[in-house]
PDB file of all heavy atoms in Angstrom:
ATOM      1  N   SER A  82     -41.887  64.856  37.833  1.00 97.00           N
ATOM      2  CA  SER A  82     -41.876  65.621  39.075  1.00 97.00           C
ATOM      3  C   SER A  82     -41.755  67.103  38.726  1.00 97.00           C
ATOM      4  O   SER A  82     -41.350  67.476  37.614  1.00 97.00           O
ATOM      5  CB  SER A  82     -40.694  65.204  39.954  1.00 97.00           C
ATOM      6  OG  SER A  82     -39.473  65.637  39.377  1.00 97.00           O
ATOM      7  N   ASP A  83     -42.085  67.968  39.673  1.00 95.00           N
ATOM      8  CA  ASP A  83     -42.003  69.412  39.418  1.00 95.00           C
ATOM      9  C   ASP A  83     -40.580  69.830  39.069  1.00 95.00           C
ATOM     10  O   ASP A  83     -40.363  70.645  38.165  1.00 95.00           O
ATOM     11  CB  ASP A  83     -42.491  70.180  40.651  1.00 95.00           C
ATOM     12  CG  ASP A  83     -43.990  70.013  40.883  1.00 95.00           C
ATOM     13  OD1 ASP A  83     -44.696  69.631  39.927  1.00 95.00           O
ATOM     14  OD2 ASP A  83     -44.441  70.251  42.019  1.00 95.00           O
ATOM     15  N   GLU A  84     -39.584  69.269  39.790  1.00 95.00           N
ATOM     16  CA  GLU A  84     -38.200  69.651  39.528  1.00 95.00           C
ATOM     17  C   GLU A  84     -37.739  69.159  38.160  1.00 95.00           C
ATOM     18  O   GLU A  84     -37.031  69.877  37.443  1.00 95.00           O
ATOM     19  CB  GLU A  84     -37.280  69.113  40.628  1.00 95.00           C
ATOM     20  CG  GLU A  84     -37.417  69.873  41.938  1.00 95.00           C
ATOM     21  CD  GLU A  84     -36.419  69.415  42.984  1.00 95.00           C
ATOM     22  OE1 GLU A  84     -36.067  68.219  42.972  1.00 95.00           O
ATOM     23  OE2 GLU A  84     -36.007  70.252  43.801  1.00 95.00           O
ATOM     24  N   ALA A  85     -38.116  67.960  37.783  1.00 97.00           N
ATOM     25  CA  ALA A  85     -37.734  67.455  36.464  1.00 97.00           C
ATOM     26  C   ALA A  85     -38.331  68.321  35.365  1.00 97.00           C
ATOM     27  O   ALA A  85     -37.688  68.599  34.348  1.00 97.00           O
ATOM     28  CB  ALA A  85     -38.185  66.005  36.313  1.00 97.00           C
ATOM     29  N   ARG A  86     -39.572  68.767  35.568  1.00 96.00           N
ATOM     30  CA  ARG A  86     -40.221  69.630  34.575  1.00 96.00           C
ATOM     31  C   ARG A  86     -39.503  70.977  34.496  1.00 96.00           C
ATOM     32  O   ARG A  86     -39.276  71.512  33.403  1.00 96.00           O
ATOM     33  CB  ARG A  86     -41.686  69.830  34.939  1.00 96.00           C
ATOM     34  CG  ARG A  86     -42.473  70.615  33.890  1.00 96.00           C
ATOM     35  CD  ARG A  86     -43.949  70.702  34.230  1.00 96.00           C
ATOM     36  NE  ARG A  86     -44.604  69.399  34.132  1.00 96.00           N
ATOM     37  CZ  ARG A  86     -44.951  68.656  35.180  1.00 96.00           C
ATOM     38  NH1 ARG A  86     -44.699  69.089  36.409  1.00 96.00           N
ATOM     39  NH2 ARG A  86     -45.539  67.496  34.998  1.00 96.00           N
ATOM     40  N   GLU A  87     -39.124  71.538  35.654  1.00 95.00           N
ATOM     41  CA  GLU A  87     -38.425  72.828  35.665  1.00 95.00           C
ATOM     42  C   GLU A  87     -37.055  72.714  35.000  1.00 95.00           C
ATOM     43  O   GLU A  87     -36.657  73.589  34.220  1.00 95.00           O
ATOM     44  CB  GLU A  87     -38.255  73.324  37.101  1.00 95.00           C
ATOM     45  CG  GLU A  87     -37.497  74.637  37.207  1.00 95.00           C
ATOM     46  CD  GLU A  87     -37.258  75.073  38.643  1.00 95.00           C
ATOM     47  OE1 GLU A  87     -37.649  74.332  39.571  1.00 95.00           O
ATOM     48  OE2 GLU A  87     -36.670  76.159  38.837  1.00 95.00           O
ATOM     49  N   ILE A  88     -36.341  71.639  35.284  1.00 95.00           N
ATOM     50  CA  ILE A  88     -34.999  71.457  34.761  1.00 95.00           C
ATOM     51  C   ILE A  88     -35.027  71.079  33.283  1.00 95.00           C
ATOM     52  O   ILE A  88     -34.168  71.477  32.500  1.00 95.00           O
ATOM     53  CB  ILE A  88     -34.251  70.379  35.582  1.00 95.00           C
ATOM     54  CG1 ILE A  88     -34.009  70.897  37.013  1.00 95.00           C
ATOM     55  CG2 ILE A  88     -32.929  69.979  34.935  1.00 95.00           C
ATOM     56  CD1 ILE A  88     -33.597  69.821  37.994  1.00 95.00           C
ATOM     57  N   GLY A  89     -36.030  70.300  32.896  1.00 95.00           N
ATOM     58  CA  GLY A  89     -36.121  69.852  31.518  1.00 95.00           C
ATOM     59  C   GLY A  89     -35.231  68.667  31.228  1.00 95.00           C
ATOM     60  O   GLY A  89     -34.815  68.446  30.084  1.00 95.00           O
ATOM     61  N   ALA A  90     -34.932  67.891  32.272  1.00 93.00           N
ATOM     62  CA  ALA A  90     -34.099  66.695  32.116  1.00 93.00           C
ATOM     63  C   ALA A  90     -34.426  65.725  33.240  1.00 93.00           C
ATOM     64  O   ALA A  90     -34.805  66.139  34.340  1.00 93.00           O
ATOM     65  CB  ALA A  90     -32.613  67.049  32.141  1.00 93.00           C
ATOM     66  N   VAL A  91     -34.260  64.440  32.950  1.00 96.00           N
ATOM     67  CA  VAL A  91     -34.604  63.373  33.892  1.00 96.00           C
ATOM     68  C   VAL A  91     -33.415  62.436  34.040  1.00 96.00           C
ATOM     69  O   VAL A  91     -32.795  62.050  33.047  1.00 96.00           O
ATOM     70  CB  VAL A  91     -35.832  62.576  33.378  1.00 96.00           C
ATOM     71  CG1 VAL A  91     -35.971  61.243  34.091  1.00 96.00           C
ATOM     72  CG2 VAL A  91     -37.095  63.403  33.526  1.00 96.00           C
ATOM     73  N   ASN A  92     -33.070  62.095  35.281  1.00 96.00           N
ATOM     74  CA  ASN A  92     -32.026  61.085  35.476  1.00 96.00           C
ATOM     75  C   ASN A  92     -32.494  59.931  36.360  1.00 96.00           C
ATOM     76  O   ASN A  92     -31.720  59.025  36.652  1.00 96.00           O
ATOM     77  CB  ASN A  92     -30.755  61.709  36.065  1.00 96.00           C
ATOM     78  CG  ASN A  92     -30.883  62.036  37.539  1.00 96.00           C
ATOM     79  OD1 ASN A  92     -31.884  62.621  37.964  1.00 96.00           O
ATOM     80  ND2 ASN A  92     -29.891  61.654  38.321  1.00 96.00           N
ATOM     81  N   VAL A  93     -33.773  59.949  36.776  1.00 98.00           N
ATOM     82  CA  VAL A  93     -34.351  58.865  37.564  1.00 98.00           C
ATOM     83  C   VAL A  93     -35.755  58.583  37.030  1.00 98.00           C
ATOM     84  O   VAL A  93     -36.537  59.521  36.838  1.00 98.00           O
ATOM     85  CB  VAL A  93     -34.457  59.232  39.063  1.00 98.00           C
ATOM     86  CG1 VAL A  93     -34.985  58.043  39.870  1.00 98.00           C
ATOM     87  CG2 VAL A  93     -33.124  59.696  39.621  1.00 98.00           C
ATOM     88  N   VAL A  94     -36.053  57.317  36.806  1.00 98.00           N
ATOM     89  CA  VAL A  94     -37.399  56.931  36.369  1.00 98.00           C
ATOM     90  C   VAL A  94     -37.902  55.833  37.291  1.00 98.00           C
ATOM     91  O   VAL A  94     -37.213  54.830  37.515  1.00 98.00           O
ATOM     92  CB  VAL A  94     -37.413  56.438  34.912  1.00 98.00           C
ATOM     93  CG1 VAL A  94     -38.803  55.933  34.534  1.00 98.00           C
ATOM     94  CG2 VAL A  94     -36.968  57.549  33.967  1.00 98.00           C
ATOM     95  N   ARG A  95     -39.091  56.047  37.840  1.00 98.00           N
ATOM     96  CA  ARG A  95     -39.749  55.017  38.647  1.00 98.00           C
ATOM     97  C   ARG A  95     -40.724  54.258  37.753  1.00 98.00           C
ATOM     98  O   ARG A  95     -41.503  54.859  37.015  1.00 98.00           O
ATOM     99  CB  ARG A  95     -40.491  55.648  39.822  1.00 98.00           C
ATOM    100  CG  ARG A  95     -41.175  54.611  40.731  1.00 98.00           C
ATOM    101  CD  ARG A  95     -41.663  55.255  42.016  1.00 98.00           C
ATOM    102  NE  ARG A  95     -42.764  56.170  41.801  1.00 98.00           N
ATOM    103  CZ  ARG A  95     -42.958  57.279  42.505  1.00 98.00           C
ATOM    104  NH1 ARG A  95     -42.125  57.621  43.458  1.00 98.00           N
ATOM    105  NH2 ARG A  95     -43.992  58.053  42.252  1.00 98.00           N
ATOM    106  N   VAL A  96     -40.658  52.936  37.826  1.00 97.00           N
ATOM    107  CA  VAL A  96     -41.523  52.067  37.034  1.00 97.00           C
ATOM    108  C   VAL A  96     -42.573  51.466  37.961  1.00 97.00           C
ATOM    109  O   VAL A  96     -42.247  50.729  38.888  1.00 97.00           O
ATOM    110  CB  VAL A  96     -40.720  50.942  36.357  1.00 97.00           C
ATOM    111  CG1 VAL A  96     -41.638  50.070  35.505  1.00 97.00           C
ATOM    112  CG2 VAL A  96     -39.588  51.524  35.513  1.00 97.00           C
ATOM    113  N   THR A  97     -43.845  51.787  37.717  1.00 95.00           N
ATOM    114  CA  THR A  97     -44.943  51.219  38.495  1.00 95.00           C
ATOM    115  C   THR A  97     -45.653  50.182  37.637  1.00 95.00           C
ATOM    116  O   THR A  97     -46.197  50.506  36.572  1.00 95.00           O
ATOM    117  CB  THR A  97     -45.935  52.312  38.932  1.00 95.00           C
ATOM    118  OG1 THR A  97     -45.242  53.301  39.698  1.00 95.00           O
ATOM    119  CG2 THR A  97     -47.048  51.713  39.782  1.00 95.00           C
ATOM    120  N   ARG A  98     -45.616  48.958  38.089  1.00 85.00           N
ATOM    121  CA  ARG A  98     -46.234  47.876  37.333  1.00 85.00           C
ATOM    122  C   ARG A  98     -47.697  47.723  37.738  1.00 85.00           C
ATOM    123  O   ARG A  98     -48.029  47.742  38.930  1.00 85.00           O
ATOM    124  CB  ARG A  98     -45.500  46.557  37.602  1.00 85.00           C
ATOM    125  CG  ARG A  98     -44.018  46.612  37.249  1.00 85.00           C
ATOM    126  CD  ARG A  98     -43.793  46.513  35.760  1.00 85.00           C
ATOM    127  NE  ARG A  98     -42.369  46.604  35.428  1.00 85.00           N
ATOM    128  CZ  ARG A  98     -41.880  46.438  34.209  1.00 85.00           C
ATOM    129  NH1 ARG A  98     -42.709  46.195  33.210  1.00 85.00           N
ATOM    130  NH2 ARG A  98     -40.587  46.536  33.974  1.00 85.00           N
ATOM    131  N   GLN A  99     -48.571  47.552  36.769  1.00 69.00           N
ATOM    132  CA  GLN A  99     -49.983  47.356  37.061  1.00 69.00           C
ATOM    133  C   GLN A  99     -50.237  45.903  37.467  1.00 69.00           C
ATOM    134  O   GLN A  99     -49.473  44.993  37.128  1.00 69.00           O
ATOM    135  CB  GLN A  99     -50.820  47.699  35.831  1.00 69.00           C
ATOM    136  CG  GLN A  99     -50.694  49.166  35.418  1.00 69.00           C
ATOM    137  CD  GLN A  99     -51.449  49.461  34.156  1.00 69.00           C
ATOM    138  OE1 GLN A  99     -52.490  48.877  33.902  1.00 69.00           O
ATOM    139  NE2 GLN A  99     -50.939  50.366  33.349  1.00 69.00           N
ATOM    140  N   LEU A 100     -51.300  45.701  38.184  1.00 55.00           N
ATOM    141  CA  LEU A 100     -51.714  44.366  38.584  1.00 55.00           C
ATOM    142  C   LEU A 100     -52.308  43.629  37.378  1.00 55.00           C
ATOM    143  O   LEU A 100     -52.619  44.243  36.344  1.00 55.00           O
ATOM    144  CB  LEU A 100     -52.731  44.464  39.716  1.00 55.00           C
ATOM    145  CG  LEU A 100     -52.211  45.155  40.994  1.00 55.00           C
ATOM    146  CD1 LEU A 100     -53.329  45.274  42.006  1.00 55.00           C
ATOM    147  CD2 LEU A 100     -51.037  44.401  41.579  1.00 55.00           C
ATOM    148  N   PRO A 101     -52.490  42.329  37.450  1.00 50.00           N
ATOM    149  CA  PRO A 101     -52.996  41.565  36.298  1.00 50.00           C
ATOM    150  C   PRO A 101     -54.308  42.080  35.733  1.00 50.00           C
ATOM    151  O   PRO A 101     -54.582  41.927  34.551  1.00 50.00           O
ATOM    152  CB  PRO A 101     -53.141  40.151  36.869  1.00 50.00           C
ATOM    153  CG  PRO A 101     -52.114  40.086  37.948  1.00 50.00           C
ATOM    154  CD  PRO A 101     -52.103  41.457  38.572  1.00 50.00           C
ATOM    155  N   ASN A 102     -55.134  42.699  36.560  1.00 53.00           N
ATOM    156  CA  ASN A 102     -56.411  43.215  36.058  1.00 53.00           C
ATOM    157  C   ASN A 102     -56.278  44.598  35.425  1.00 53.00           C
ATOM    158  O   ASN A 102     -57.272  45.235  35.081  1.00 53.00           O
ATOM    159  CB  ASN A 102     -57.447  43.250  37.180  1.00 53.00           C
ATOM    160  CG  ASN A 102     -57.055  44.201  38.307  1.00 53.00           C
ATOM    161  OD1 ASN A 102     -56.010  44.846  38.247  1.00 53.00           O
ATOM    162  ND2 ASN A 102     -57.889  44.280  39.328  1.00 53.00           N
ATOM    163  N   GLY A 103     -55.028  45.066  35.297  1.00 49.00           N
ATOM    164  CA  GLY A 103     -54.805  46.345  34.634  1.00 49.00           C
ATOM    165  C   GLY A 103     -54.845  47.531  35.556  1.00 49.00           C
ATOM    166  O   GLY A 103     -54.751  48.665  35.103  1.00 49.00           O
ATOM    167  N   GLN A 104     -55.002  47.327  36.866  1.00 54.00           N
ATOM    168  CA  GLN A 104     -55.045  48.436  37.802  1.00 54.00           C
ATOM    169  C   GLN A 104     -53.722  48.573  38.525  1.00 54.00           C
ATOM    170  O   GLN A 104     -52.946  47.623  38.638  1.00 54.00           O
ATOM    171  CB  GLN A 104     -56.174  48.238  38.810  1.00 54.00           C
ATOM    172  CG  GLN A 104     -57.562  48.308  38.168  1.00 54.00           C
ATOM    173  CD  GLN A 104     -58.648  48.415  39.217  1.00 54.00           C
ATOM    174  OE1 GLN A 104     -58.470  48.028  40.355  1.00 54.00           O
ATOM    175  NE2 GLN A 104     -59.781  48.954  38.824  1.00 54.00           N
ATOM    176  N   LEU A 105     -53.482  49.794  38.994  1.00 51.00           N
ATOM    177  CA  LEU A 105     -52.302  50.046  39.813  1.00 51.00           C
ATOM    178  C   LEU A 105     -52.542  49.528  41.216  1.00 51.00           C
ATOM    179  O   LEU A 105     -53.674  49.249  41.605  1.00 51.00           O
ATOM    180  CB  LEU A 105     -52.009  51.551  39.846  1.00 51.00           C
ATOM    181  CG  LEU A 105     -51.637  52.180  38.500  1.00 51.00           C
ATOM    182  CD1 LEU A 105     -51.518  53.688  38.655  1.00 51.00           C
ATOM    183  CD2 LEU A 105     -50.349  51.602  37.968  1.00 51.00           C
ATOM    184  N   PRO A 106     -51.463  49.402  42.014  1.00 53.00           N
ATOM    185  CA  PRO A 106     -51.634  48.920  43.388  1.00 53.00           C
ATOM    186  C   PRO A 106     -52.634  49.715  44.206  1.00 53.00           C
ATOM    187  O   PRO A 106     -53.260  49.191  45.120  1.00 53.00           O
ATOM    188  CB  PRO A 106     -50.220  49.031  43.960  1.00 53.00           C
ATOM    189  CG  PRO A 106     -49.337  48.835  42.771  1.00 53.00           C
ATOM    190  CD  PRO A 106     -50.059  49.532  41.640  1.00 53.00           C
ATOM    191  N   ASN A 107     -52.823  51.003  43.880  1.00 52.00           N
ATOM    192  CA  ASN A 107     -53.799  51.805  44.634  1.00 52.00           C
ATOM    193  C   ASN A 107     -55.213  51.706  44.051  1.00 52.00           C
ATOM    194  O   ASN A 107     -56.123  52.423  44.474  1.00 52.00           O
ATOM    195  CB  ASN A 107     -53.358  53.269  44.699  1.00 52.00           C
ATOM    196  CG  ASN A 107     -53.315  53.927  43.320  1.00 52.00           C
ATOM    197  OD1 ASN A 107     -53.687  53.328  42.317  1.00 52.00           O
ATOM    198  ND2 ASN A 107     -52.845  55.160  43.279  1.00 52.00           N
ATOM    199  N   GLY A 108     -55.383  50.834  43.055  1.00 47.00           N
ATOM    200  CA  GLY A 108     -56.710  50.607  42.497  1.00 47.00           C
ATOM    201  C   GLY A 108     -57.080  51.511  41.348  1.00 47.00           C
ATOM    202  O   GLY A 108     -58.174  51.424  40.818  1.00 47.00           O
ATOM    203  N   GLN A 109     -56.140  52.405  40.937  1.00 49.00           N
ATOM    204  CA  GLN A 109     -56.451  53.361  39.890  1.00 49.00           C
ATOM    205  C   GLN A 109     -55.800  52.941  38.578  1.00 49.00           C
ATOM    206  O   GLN A 109     -54.723  52.352  38.549  1.00 49.00           O
ATOM    207  CB  GLN A 109     -55.939  54.760  40.281  1.00 49.00           C
ATOM    208  CG  GLN A 109     -56.547  55.292  41.572  1.00 49.00           C
ATOM    209  CD  GLN A 109     -58.047  55.474  41.460  1.00 49.00           C
ATOM    210  OE1 GLN A 109     -58.529  56.013  40.467  1.00 49.00           O
ATOM    211  NE2 GLN A 109     -58.781  55.046  42.470  1.00 49.00           N
ATOM    212  N   LEU A 110     -56.437  53.278  37.482  1.00 46.00           N
ATOM    213  CA  LEU A 110     -55.875  53.061  36.145  1.00 46.00           C
ATOM    214  C   LEU A 110     -55.830  54.413  35.441  1.00 46.00           C
ATOM    215  O   LEU A 110     -56.866  55.010  35.164  1.00 46.00           O
ATOM    216  CB  LEU A 110     -56.729  52.089  35.340  1.00 46.00           C
ATOM    217  CG  LEU A 110     -56.230  51.774  33.921  1.00 46.00           C
ATOM    218  CD1 LEU A 110     -54.866  51.109  33.981  1.00 46.00           C
ATOM    219  CD2 LEU A 110     -57.215  50.869  33.194  1.00 46.00           C
ATOM    220  N   PRO A 111     -54.633  54.958  35.197  1.00 48.00           N
ATOM    221  CA  PRO A 111     -54.538  56.288  34.587  1.00 48.00           C
ATOM    222  C   PRO A 111     -55.243  56.349  33.244  1.00 48.00           C
ATOM    223  O   PRO A 111     -55.288  55.359  32.508  1.00 48.00           O
ATOM    224  CB  PRO A 111     -53.026  56.489  34.432  1.00 48.00           C
ATOM    225  CG  PRO A 111     -52.410  55.548  35.411  1.00 48.00           C
ATOM    226  CD  PRO A 111     -53.339  54.372  35.486  1.00 48.00           C
TER     227      PRO A 111
END
Side-chain angles (χ1 to χ4, degrees):
S82 70
D83 291 341
E84 287 185 328
R86 185 175 292 104
E87 178 184 2
I88 293 166
V91 163
N92 75 313
V93 184
V94 175
R95 181 169 69 214
V96 182
T97 302
R98 302 283 178 174
Q99 297 176 34
L100 299 176
N102 63 1
Q104 293 193 337
L105 296 174
N107 64 4
Q109 300 297 315
L110 180 62

